[in-house]
Amino acid sequence: MTAAGFRDPSPTRSLTLLRAFLRERRDPESCYALLARDAADQVEAYGKVAGKVVVDVGGGSGHFTREFRARGAHGYLFEPDARELGPAPPASAVLADGYLLPLADASADVTFSSNVLEHVADRDTFLGELVRVTRPGGLIYVSFTNWFSPWGGHEWAPWHYLGAGRAQARYRRRTGRAPKHTLGENLFAHHVGPTLRHVRARDDVALVSARSRYWPFLTEAVARVPGVREFATWNLLLILRRCPP
């Protein structure tokens, strides 16, 4: 990940991540291990995680938690769905809802959430819980696939642009099986603009960066253009700092 040419952002990095994503079904381990290294690099752009408490909320099978631990962090995974943990979750993984984490206030140095927000009905409550468990001065990393992104419909994208019902019906006809995601049940239409307005209106966090997670250039510029950002951002990355009480 730190090899020459794999800068963030860079076309090489974006292309490498895209290729890994296209191979995700047949080689999920390599895909998510690469994504975890990339995300940990993004976090460490704001300070090394060694010796720090890193809370991974909704991290599935634990690739992110394992990567943070490999870098010397005290990494803890909180995942609400036992099926997502897989056969070999990290030791001490906890089944817990992101709306109500079993953690004391200000207990984490870094709170991390990758591609979870689009699966959360109550965006504001979820973000508030991430803030609550982060210590003053601590870092909050949140990324999500916004609804009007080309991947907003997940496995039935890009047909979600024609409506979720039609997209899901097309997926059933084409594959012969029900889609994993259903709008309004485990996938929700969150947008870049309203999310940014909510974050900026909070008095308990400072917005450090709002950018496209995967875009190869001008990552923050893309996220600043109303309308265009809802499509071109693809995946919004927010870096927040917890403010003192």
Side-chain angles (χ1 to χ4, degrees), residues 57 99 113-127 130 142-145 186-191 195 199 236 238:
V57 181
Y99 291 140
S113 173
S114 172
N115 295 331
V116 176
L117 194 65
E118 69 263 35
H119 304 296
V120 170
D122 188 340
R123 176 201 64 195
D124 299 355
T125 297
F126 180 80
L127 290 174
L130 300 186
V142 179
S143 82
F144 73 97
T145 304
N186 58 1
L187 183 65
F188 299 89
H190 295 312
H191 307 287
T195 302
V199 169
L236 181 67
L238 300 174

Side-chain angles (χ1 to χ4, degrees), residues 72-155:
H74 306 289
Y76 301 94
L77 171 63
F78 295 85
E79 167 59 48
D81 189 343
R83 295 169 297 181
E84 294 294 332
L85 288 172
S92 72
V94 177
L95 278 174
D97 195 315
Y99 291 140
L100 190 62
L101 294 168
L103 292 169
D105 294 355
S107 54
D109 297 297
V110 177
T111 306
F112 178 90
S113 173
S114 172
N115 295 331
V116 176
L117 194 65
E118 69 263 35
H119 304 296
V120 170
D122 188 340
R123 176 201 64 195
D124 299 355
T125 297
F126 180 80
L127 290 174
E129 187 67 352
L130 300 186
V131 174
R132 181 188 70 80
V133 303
T134 307
R135 66 166 179 81
L139 191 77
I140 302 162
Y141 176 113
V142 179
S143 82
F144 73 97
T145 304
N146 39 294
W147 177 244
F148 287 127
S149 154
W151 188 243
H154 286 46
E155 73 272 23

Side-chain angles (χ1 to χ4, degrees), residues 137-210:
L139 191 77
I140 302 162
Y141 176 113
V142 179
S143 82
F144 73 97
T145 304
N146 39 294
W147 177 244
F148 287 127
S149 154
W151 188 243
H154 286 46
E155 73 272 23
W156 29 274
W159 304 99
H160 63 296
Y161 290 125
L162 302 179
R166 294 176 67 181
Q168 291 173 74
R170 180 186 181 280
Y171 181 88
R172 290 189 189 93
R173 290 194 304 271
R174 186 170 61 86
T175 66
R177 61 180 183 272
K180 178 180 179 180
H181 298 98
T182 299
L183 189 67
E185 294 182 10
N186 58 1
L187 183 65
F188 299 89
H190 295 312
H191 307 287
V192 174
T195 302
L196 287 176
R197 287 192 290 274
H198 168 75
V199 169
R200 288 176 175 140
R202 299 187 68 106
D203 61 6
D204 50 7
V205 292
L207 178 60
V208 177
S209 179

Side-chain angles (χ1 to χ4, degrees), residues 19 22 48 53 56 70 86 101 107 140 152 174 176 184 209 211 245:
R19 286 172 173 166
L22 293 175
K48 296 297 184 183
V53 174
D56 177 9
L101 294 168
S107 54
I140 302 162
R174 186 170 61 86
S209 179
R211 53 173 290 194

Side-chain angles (χ1 to χ4, degrees), residues 28-78:
E29 182 62 33
S30 295
C31 174
Y32 290 111
L34 176 65
L35 186 61
R37 292 196 299 273
D38 184 71
D41 285 346
Q42 290 180 318
V43 170
E44 287 201 318
Y46 300 91
K48 296 297 184 183
V49 298
K52 295 183 178 180
V53 174
V54 179
V55 170
D56 177 9
V57 181
S61 58
H63 288 87
F64 299 109
T65 298
R66 280 188 282 269
E67 181 62 29
F68 286 125
R69 289 181 179 179
R71 298 181 185 218
H74 306 289
Y76 301 94
L77 171 63
F78 295 85

